[in-house]
Amino acid sequence: MANVIDKKRIRGLSERLLEAHSKGGPFQVDDALFLESADEAYWVQEVVLRGLDPRRPVAWKISPPKEGTQPFGSPTPFKGLVVSPAHFVGSRNRCLGVEAEVAFRFGEAPIRKGKRSDIEGAVEKAFVLIELCETRFANWESAPALCRIADFQSHGGFALGSGTREWRSIDFARQPVELWINGASVISRSGSHPSGDPFELVAWAATHCAERGMPLAAGDIVTTGTWTGLTPVKAGDEILARFDGIGAATLKLD
């Protein structure tokens, strides 16, 4: 039996999220706004996205699956994608931290449900990306996972750095990553992507986005999750993410 969508609940959470985006300031999400399915979370994403900007999304955030689950996807607001060196002004919502990621840009529209080789053929470049994570929820720690998914998976903005067209030769299982804050190294790891192969999420996204009526197109970007966990930052911090052999990205919080 298909999940029943509760439009009243979706409308209530969407309105609160839009208010938080436009006026700033996190709110307490209570059980009256708790969602019951991923479909409801995705519906809220799309309502809020249209309320913020009528343009089609060009960047998608895909989160690696946890044990026993599938990945989750979220379109992100158009204005949140900034080319490195990126400057973000602190909002009145709650900043959670930053994540160092590898993103992939399509040179042509991928085939829906195509083979991995088909999806690879449509990707022109891999980039280093820093995601600024923030939440519209005052009680983020206790907010249900579906509500966090509805909130663009706690997305605040992207700093898109340099990249490479030779990404197919990268051994992601051994790929090194460094995260620096204010000139000091805070994280240095190798092969730390949760799934081991971030491109699996790109292939999943090609079908996911099409099924949601927003198929990927040439120029679109898919992010694939953090290699460095979630690292707290504050106003005034300068962040550098570097993936040896791929590129680097910088972000400053003003």
Side-chain angles (χ1 to χ4, degrees):
M1 181 177 178
N3 291 322
V4 176
I5 300 294
D6 187 323
K7 294 183 179 180
K8 181 178 180 181
R9 184 166 54 235
I10 289 170
R11 182 170 60 251
L13 183 56
S14 300
E15 289 174 351
R16 294 299 303 275
L17 286 170
L18 277 168
E19 182 179 11
H21 275 283
S22 61
K23 298 181 180 179
F27 64 93
Q28 194 86 4
V29 60
D30 56 37
D31 55 5
L33 299 177
F34 289 178
L35 306 176
E36 295 188 353
S37 69
D39 288 340
E40 289 190 349
Y42 291 152
W43 198 331
V44 171
Q45 287 178 359
E46 292 168 28
V47 171
V48 176
L49 187 73
R50 289 194 297 270
L52 293 173
D53 194 325
R55 292 173 289 185
R56 66 176 295 276
V58 297
W60 284 77
K61 174 177 179 173
I62 308 298
S63 294
K66 294 180 172 59
E67 186 174 356
T69 69
Q70 66 173 357
F72 290 104
S74 174
T76 61
F78 191 93
K79 67 178 183 180
L81 181 64
V82 181
V83 175
S84 172
H87 292 257
F88 285 91
V89 177
S91 76
R92 284 175 288 180
N93 289 302
R94 179 181 170 191
C95 176
L96 298 173
V98 294
E99 299 176 344
E101 307 187 17
V102 175
F104 297 84
R105 186 175 69 195
F106 284 90
E108 60 185 66
I111 299 173
R112 176 182 174 181
K113 294 185 178 181
K115 298 178 181 178
R116 177 175 174 131
S117 59
D118 296 326
I119 308 301
E120 287 181 348
V123 170
E124 67 172 355
K125 200 169 184 179
F127 292 86
V128 174
L129 177 145
I130 300 172
E131 181 176 19
L132 176 65
C133 298
E134 67 175 33
T135 179
R136 271 51 67 177
F137 300 137
N139 56 333
W140 178 81
E141 288 84 357
S142 61
L146 289 172
C147 288
R148 296 188 195 184
I149 293 168
D151 185 26
F152 298 138
Q153 301 189 92
S154 303
H155 174 70
F158 289 138
L160 184 65
S162 56
T164 178
R165 296 181 183 273
E166 305 303 320
W167 62 270
R168 293 171 186 80
S169 63
I170 297 170
D171 183 356
F172 287 112
R174 297 183 179 181
Q175 173 64 46
V177 57
E178 295 177 285
L179 187 68
W180 296 66
I181 298 179
N182 300 327
S185 175
V186 294
I187 294 175
S188 180
R189 298 175 180 169
S190 294
S192 56
H193 189 270
S195 70
D197 179 9
F199 197 83
E200 289 182 354
L201 301 177
V202 180
W204 180 87
T207 296
H208 174 77
C209 298
E211 289 179 344
R212 291 179 62 177
M214 293 179 279
L216 294 169
D220 286 355
I221 292 168
V222 173
T223 73
T224 54
T226 180
W227 292 63
T228 55
L230 180 63
T231 303
V233 290
K234 63 184 184 303
D237 283 349
E238 296 185 13
I239 301 101
L240 164 69
R242 179 185 295 121
F243 287 77
D244 188 37
I246 301 178
T250 61
L251 181 157
K252 182 176 180 181
L253 275 179
D254 294 327

PDB file of all heavy atoms in Angstrom, residues 76-103:
ATOM      1  N   THR A  76      19.069  21.725  -3.932  1.00  0.00           N
ATOM      2  CA  THR A  76      19.503  22.832  -3.081  1.00  0.00           C
ATOM      3  C   THR A  76      19.199  24.160  -3.762  1.00  0.00           C
ATOM      4  O   THR A  76      19.184  24.257  -4.986  1.00  0.00           O
ATOM      5  CB  THR A  76      21.014  22.731  -2.782  1.00  0.00           C
ATOM      6  OG1 THR A  76      21.759  22.803  -4.006  1.00  0.00           O
ATOM      7  CG2 THR A  76      21.335  21.424  -2.072  1.00  0.00           C
ATOM      8  N   PRO A  77      18.933  25.207  -2.965  1.00  0.00           N
ATOM      9  CA  PRO A  77      18.598  26.509  -3.553  1.00  0.00           C
ATOM     10  C   PRO A  77      19.693  27.031  -4.478  1.00  0.00           C
ATOM     11  O   PRO A  77      20.885  26.899  -4.190  1.00  0.00           O
ATOM     12  CB  PRO A  77      18.432  27.413  -2.317  1.00  0.00           C
ATOM     13  CG  PRO A  77      18.052  26.472  -1.215  1.00  0.00           C
ATOM     14  CD  PRO A  77      18.830  25.214  -1.493  1.00  0.00           C
ATOM     15  N   PHE A  78      19.269  27.626  -5.569  1.00  0.00           N
ATOM     16  CA  PHE A  78      20.179  28.091  -6.624  1.00  0.00           C
ATOM     17  C   PHE A  78      21.248  29.034  -6.072  1.00  0.00           C
ATOM     18  O   PHE A  78      22.425  28.929  -6.412  1.00  0.00           O
ATOM     19  CB  PHE A  78      19.351  28.794  -7.704  1.00  0.00           C
ATOM     20  CG  PHE A  78      20.098  29.087  -8.970  1.00  0.00           C
ATOM     21  CD1 PHE A  78      20.069  28.197 -10.040  1.00  0.00           C
ATOM     22  CD2 PHE A  78      20.837  30.246  -9.101  1.00  0.00           C
ATOM     23  CE1 PHE A  78      20.754  28.464 -11.219  1.00  0.00           C
ATOM     24  CE2 PHE A  78      21.528  30.528 -10.271  1.00  0.00           C
ATOM     25  CZ  PHE A  78      21.484  29.630 -11.329  1.00  0.00           C
ATOM     26  N   LYS A  79      20.841  29.949  -5.193  1.00  0.00           N
ATOM     27  CA  LYS A  79      21.772  30.985  -4.725  1.00  0.00           C
ATOM     28  C   LYS A  79      22.844  30.440  -3.788  1.00  0.00           C
ATOM     29  O   LYS A  79      23.830  31.129  -3.498  1.00  0.00           O
ATOM     30  CB  LYS A  79      21.011  32.105  -4.021  1.00  0.00           C
ATOM     31  CG  LYS A  79      20.358  31.677  -2.712  1.00  0.00           C
ATOM     32  CD  LYS A  79      19.655  32.847  -2.048  1.00  0.00           C
ATOM     33  CE  LYS A  79      19.050  32.435  -0.701  1.00  0.00           C
ATOM     34  NZ  LYS A  79      18.368  33.580  -0.041  1.00  0.00           N
ATOM     35  N   GLY A  80      22.683  29.205  -3.305  1.00  0.00           N
ATOM     36  CA  GLY A  80      23.631  28.658  -2.350  1.00  0.00           C
ATOM     37  C   GLY A  80      24.892  28.095  -2.972  1.00  0.00           C
ATOM     38  O   GLY A  80      25.822  27.715  -2.246  1.00  0.00           O
ATOM     39  N   LEU A  81      24.971  28.036  -4.310  1.00  0.00           N
ATOM     40  CA  LEU A  81      26.150  27.513  -4.992  1.00  0.00           C
ATOM     41  C   LEU A  81      27.067  28.672  -5.360  1.00  0.00           C
ATOM     42  O   LEU A  81      26.728  29.506  -6.204  1.00  0.00           O
ATOM     43  CB  LEU A  81      25.737  26.742  -6.246  1.00  0.00           C
ATOM     44  CG  LEU A  81      26.871  26.120  -7.063  1.00  0.00           C
ATOM     45  CD1 LEU A  81      27.603  25.055  -6.250  1.00  0.00           C
ATOM     46  CD2 LEU A  81      26.336  25.522  -8.358  1.00  0.00           C
ATOM     47  N   VAL A  82      28.248  28.726  -4.725  1.00  0.00           N
ATOM     48  CA  VAL A  82      29.185  29.836  -4.906  1.00  0.00           C
ATOM     49  C   VAL A  82      30.545  29.272  -5.307  1.00  0.00           C
ATOM     50  O   VAL A  82      31.017  28.291  -4.725  1.00  0.00           O
ATOM     51  CB  VAL A  82      29.326  30.661  -3.612  1.00  0.00           C
ATOM     52  CG1 VAL A  82      30.280  31.832  -3.813  1.00  0.00           C
ATOM     53  CG2 VAL A  82      27.961  31.147  -3.137  1.00  0.00           C
ATOM     54  N   VAL A  83      31.178  29.895  -6.296  1.00  0.00           N
ATOM     55  CA  VAL A  83      32.484  29.445  -6.745  1.00  0.00           C
ATOM     56  C   VAL A  83      33.552  29.903  -5.753  1.00  0.00           C
ATOM     57  O   VAL A  83      33.540  31.040  -5.276  1.00  0.00           O
ATOM     58  CB  VAL A  83      32.792  29.984  -8.157  1.00  0.00           C
ATOM     59  CG1 VAL A  83      34.214  29.621  -8.576  1.00  0.00           C
ATOM     60  CG2 VAL A  83      31.785  29.430  -9.161  1.00  0.00           C
ATOM     61  N   SER A  84      34.470  28.993  -5.423  1.00  0.00           N
ATOM     62  CA  SER A  84      35.589  29.289  -4.527  1.00  0.00           C
ATOM     63  C   SER A  84      36.554  30.284  -5.192  1.00  0.00           C
ATOM     64  O   SER A  84      36.769  30.204  -6.403  1.00  0.00           O
ATOM     65  CB  SER A  84      36.324  27.989  -4.206  1.00  0.00           C
ATOM     66  OG  SER A  84      37.509  28.215  -3.502  1.00  0.00           O
ATOM     67  N   PRO A  85      37.100  31.244  -4.433  1.00  0.00           N
ATOM     68  CA  PRO A  85      36.985  31.454  -2.991  1.00  0.00           C
ATOM     69  C   PRO A  85      35.610  32.035  -2.631  1.00  0.00           C
ATOM     70  O   PRO A  85      35.225  33.078  -3.165  1.00  0.00           O
ATOM     71  CB  PRO A  85      38.105  32.439  -2.666  1.00  0.00           C
ATOM     72  CG  PRO A  85      38.327  33.188  -3.952  1.00  0.00           C
ATOM     73  CD  PRO A  85      38.052  32.197  -5.058  1.00  0.00           C
ATOM     74  N   ALA A  86      34.909  31.339  -1.751  1.00  0.00           N
ATOM     75  CA  ALA A  86      33.531  31.690  -1.427  1.00  0.00           C
ATOM     76  C   ALA A  86      33.453  32.417  -0.090  1.00  0.00           C
ATOM     77  O   ALA A  86      34.200  32.107   0.840  1.00  0.00           O
ATOM     78  CB  ALA A  86      32.674  30.426  -1.370  1.00  0.00           C
ATOM     79  N   HIS A  87      32.552  33.382  -0.016  1.00  0.00           N
ATOM     80  CA  HIS A  87      32.294  34.109   1.228  1.00  0.00           C
ATOM     81  C   HIS A  87      30.817  33.937   1.570  1.00  0.00           C
ATOM     82  O   HIS A  87      29.949  34.198   0.741  1.00  0.00           O
ATOM     83  CB  HIS A  87      32.620  35.600   1.075  1.00  0.00           C
ATOM     84  CG  HIS A  87      34.075  35.882   0.901  1.00  0.00           C
ATOM     85  ND1 HIS A  87      34.873  36.370   1.909  1.00  0.00           N
ATOM     86  CD2 HIS A  87      34.895  35.722  -0.170  1.00  0.00           C
ATOM     87  CE1 HIS A  87      36.115  36.518   1.476  1.00  0.00           C
ATOM     88  NE2 HIS A  87      36.150  36.127   0.204  1.00  0.00           N
ATOM     89  N   PHE A  88      30.562  33.504   2.778  1.00  0.00           N
ATOM     90  CA  PHE A  88      29.195  33.364   3.245  1.00  0.00           C
ATOM     91  C   PHE A  88      28.996  34.227   4.479  1.00  0.00           C
ATOM     92  O   PHE A  88      29.807  34.187   5.409  1.00  0.00           O
ATOM     93  CB  PHE A  88      28.866  31.906   3.591  1.00  0.00           C
ATOM     94  CG  PHE A  88      28.650  31.028   2.390  1.00  0.00           C
ATOM     95  CD1 PHE A  88      29.711  30.330   1.828  1.00  0.00           C
ATOM     96  CD2 PHE A  88      27.395  30.911   1.819  1.00  0.00           C
ATOM     97  CE1 PHE A  88      29.525  29.515   0.718  1.00  0.00           C
ATOM     98  CE2 PHE A  88      27.200  30.104   0.703  1.00  0.00           C
ATOM     99  CZ  PHE A  88      28.254  29.409   0.153  1.00  0.00           C
ATOM    100  N   VAL A  89      27.937  35.014   4.458  1.00  0.00           N
ATOM    101  CA  VAL A  89      27.586  35.832   5.620  1.00  0.00           C
ATOM    102  C   VAL A  89      26.777  34.969   6.565  1.00  0.00           C
ATOM    103  O   VAL A  89      25.814  34.315   6.152  1.00  0.00           O
ATOM    104  CB  VAL A  89      26.783  37.079   5.197  1.00  0.00           C
ATOM    105  CG1 VAL A  89      26.371  37.882   6.426  1.00  0.00           C
ATOM    106  CG2 VAL A  89      27.606  37.931   4.244  1.00  0.00           C
ATOM    107  N   GLY A  90      27.156  34.956   7.827  1.00  0.00           N
ATOM    108  CA  GLY A  90      26.446  34.141   8.807  1.00  0.00           C
ATOM    109  C   GLY A  90      24.973  34.511   8.875  1.00  0.00           C
ATOM    110  O   GLY A  90      24.612  35.684   8.894  1.00  0.00           O
ATOM    111  N   SER A  91      24.119  33.500   8.866  1.00  0.00           N
ATOM    112  CA  SER A  91      22.682  33.733   8.957  1.00  0.00           C
ATOM    113  C   SER A  91      22.242  33.637  10.409  1.00  0.00           C
ATOM    114  O   SER A  91      23.020  33.267  11.296  1.00  0.00           O
ATOM    115  CB  SER A  91      21.923  32.704   8.112  1.00  0.00           C
ATOM    116  OG  SER A  91      21.888  31.452   8.775  1.00  0.00           O
ATOM    117  N   ARG A  92      20.979  33.965  10.645  1.00  0.00           N
ATOM    118  CA  ARG A  92      20.453  33.851  12.001  1.00  0.00           C
ATOM    119  C   ARG A  92      20.048  32.421  12.327  1.00  0.00           C
ATOM    120  O   ARG A  92      19.663  32.126  13.450  1.00  0.00           O
ATOM    121  CB  ARG A  92      19.268  34.813  12.163  1.00  0.00           C
ATOM    122  CG  ARG A  92      19.692  36.263  12.316  1.00  0.00           C
ATOM    123  CD  ARG A  92      18.510  37.200  12.344  1.00  0.00           C
ATOM    124  NE  ARG A  92      17.900  37.322  11.017  1.00  0.00           N
ATOM    125  CZ  ARG A  92      16.838  38.077  10.753  1.00  0.00           C
ATOM    126  NH1 ARG A  92      16.251  38.743  11.715  1.00  0.00           N
ATOM    127  NH2 ARG A  92      16.360  38.160   9.524  1.00  0.00           N
ATOM    128  N   ASN A  93      20.131  31.550  11.335  1.00  0.00           N
ATOM    129  CA  ASN A  93      19.904  30.139  11.627  1.00  0.00           C
ATOM    130  C   ASN A  93      21.177  29.538  12.206  1.00  0.00           C
ATOM    131  O   ASN A  93      22.235  30.163  12.208  1.00  0.00           O
ATOM    132  CB  ASN A  93      19.448  29.404  10.367  1.00  0.00           C
ATOM    133  CG  ASN A  93      18.033  29.786   9.980  1.00  0.00           C
ATOM    134  OD1 ASN A  93      17.101  29.618  10.752  1.00  0.00           O
ATOM    135  ND2 ASN A  93      17.877  30.347   8.781  1.00  0.00           N
ATOM    136  N   ARG A  94      21.088  28.333  12.669  1.00  0.00           N
ATOM    137  CA  ARG A  94      22.181  27.732  13.426  1.00  0.00           C
ATOM    138  C   ARG A  94      23.196  27.055  12.513  1.00  0.00           C
ATOM    139  O   ARG A  94      22.849  26.135  11.771  1.00  0.00           O
ATOM    140  CB  ARG A  94      21.599  26.717  14.410  1.00  0.00           C
ATOM    141  CG  ARG A  94      22.635  25.999  15.253  1.00  0.00           C
ATOM    142  CD  ARG A  94      21.955  25.006  16.164  1.00  0.00           C
ATOM    143  NE  ARG A  94      22.915  24.134  16.815  1.00  0.00           N
ATOM    144  CZ  ARG A  94      22.579  23.051  17.496  1.00  0.00           C
ATOM    145  NH1 ARG A  94      21.300  22.722  17.612  1.00  0.00           N
ATOM    146  NH2 ARG A  94      23.503  22.297  18.048  1.00  0.00           N
ATOM    147  N   CYS A  95      24.438  27.507  12.566  1.00  0.00           N
ATOM    148  CA  CYS A  95      25.514  26.897  11.781  1.00  0.00           C
ATOM    149  C   CYS A  95      25.986  25.630  12.482  1.00  0.00           C
ATOM    150  O   CYS A  95      26.334  25.657  13.666  1.00  0.00           O
ATOM    151  CB  CYS A  95      26.677  27.877  11.625  1.00  0.00           C
ATOM    152  SG  CYS A  95      28.101  27.186  10.757  1.00  0.00           S
ATOM    153  N   LEU A  96      25.997  24.521  11.748  1.00  0.00           N
ATOM    154  CA  LEU A  96      26.424  23.243  12.309  1.00  0.00           C
ATOM    155  C   LEU A  96      27.898  22.959  12.053  1.00  0.00           C
ATOM    156  O   LEU A  96      28.571  22.323  12.858  1.00  0.00           O
ATOM    157  CB  LEU A  96      25.587  22.107  11.722  1.00  0.00           C
ATOM    158  CG  LEU A  96      24.082  22.167  12.002  1.00  0.00           C
ATOM    159  CD1 LEU A  96      23.368  21.074  11.210  1.00  0.00           C
ATOM    160  CD2 LEU A  96      23.797  22.019  13.490  1.00  0.00           C
ATOM    161  N   GLY A  97      28.408  23.408  10.909  1.00  0.00           N
ATOM    162  CA  GLY A  97      29.797  23.156  10.576  1.00  0.00           C
ATOM    163  C   GLY A  97      30.000  23.021   9.080  1.00  0.00           C
ATOM    164  O   GLY A  97      29.151  23.417   8.279  1.00  0.00           O
ATOM    165  N   VAL A  98      31.145  22.441   8.705  1.00  0.00           N
ATOM    166  CA  VAL A  98      31.492  22.278   7.293  1.00  0.00           C
ATOM    167  C   VAL A  98      31.870  20.833   7.011  1.00  0.00           C
ATOM    168  O   VAL A  98      32.292  20.085   7.902  1.00  0.00           O
ATOM    169  CB  VAL A  98      32.642  23.212   6.865  1.00  0.00           C
ATOM    170  CG1 VAL A  98      32.219  24.669   6.935  1.00  0.00           C
ATOM    171  CG2 VAL A  98      33.892  22.961   7.714  1.00  0.00           C
ATOM    172  N   GLU A  99      31.739  20.475   5.735  1.00  0.00           N
ATOM    173  CA  GLU A  99      32.093  19.139   5.269  1.00  0.00           C
ATOM    174  C   GLU A  99      32.907  19.265   3.984  1.00  0.00           C
ATOM    175  O   GLU A  99      32.584  20.091   3.121  1.00  0.00           O
ATOM    176  CB  GLU A  99      30.833  18.310   4.990  1.00  0.00           C
ATOM    177  CG  GLU A  99      29.949  18.104   6.206  1.00  0.00           C
ATOM    178  CD  GLU A  99      28.663  17.359   5.897  1.00  0.00           C
ATOM    179  OE1 GLU A  99      28.305  17.255   4.701  1.00  0.00           O
ATOM    180  OE2 GLU A  99      28.019  16.888   6.851  1.00  0.00           O
ATOM    181  N   ALA A 100      33.943  18.453   3.855  1.00  0.00           N
ATOM    182  CA  ALA A 100      34.737  18.397   2.624  1.00  0.00           C
ATOM    183  C   ALA A 100      34.221  17.257   1.760  1.00  0.00           C
ATOM    184  O   ALA A 100      34.094  16.120   2.231  1.00  0.00           O
ATOM    185  CB  ALA A 100      36.214  18.185   2.944  1.00  0.00           C
ATOM    186  N   GLU A 101      33.899  17.561   0.505  1.00  0.00           N
ATOM    187  CA  GLU A 101      33.250  16.583  -0.365  1.00  0.00           C
ATOM    188  C   GLU A 101      33.858  16.603  -1.765  1.00  0.00           C
ATOM    189  O   GLU A 101      34.572  17.530  -2.138  1.00  0.00           O
ATOM    190  CB  GLU A 101      31.743  16.875  -0.457  1.00  0.00           C
ATOM    191  CG  GLU A 101      31.060  16.988   0.894  1.00  0.00           C
ATOM    192  CD  GLU A 101      29.553  17.107   0.779  1.00  0.00           C
ATOM    193  OE1 GLU A 101      29.000  16.794  -0.293  1.00  0.00           O
ATOM    194  OE2 GLU A 101      28.916  17.517   1.776  1.00  0.00           O
ATOM    195  N   VAL A 102      33.522  15.567  -2.526  1.00  0.00           N
ATOM    196  CA  VAL A 102      33.819  15.529  -3.956  1.00  0.00           C
ATOM    197  C   VAL A 102      32.492  15.594  -4.697  1.00  0.00           C
ATOM    198  O   VAL A 102      31.562  14.830  -4.390  1.00  0.00           O
ATOM    199  CB  VAL A 102      34.582  14.249  -4.354  1.00  0.00           C
ATOM    200  CG1 VAL A 102      34.765  14.180  -5.875  1.00  0.00           C
ATOM    201  CG2 VAL A 102      35.936  14.201  -3.658  1.00  0.00           C
ATOM    202  N   ALA A 103      32.384  16.520  -5.636  1.00  0.00           N
ATOM    203  CA  ALA A 103      31.174  16.688  -6.434  1.00  0.00           C
ATOM    204  C   ALA A 103      31.487  16.361  -7.891  1.00  0.00           C
ATOM    205  O   ALA A 103      32.642  16.430  -8.330  1.00  0.00           O
ATOM    206  CB  ALA A 103      30.659  18.120  -6.323  1.00  0.00           C
TER     207      ALA A 103
END
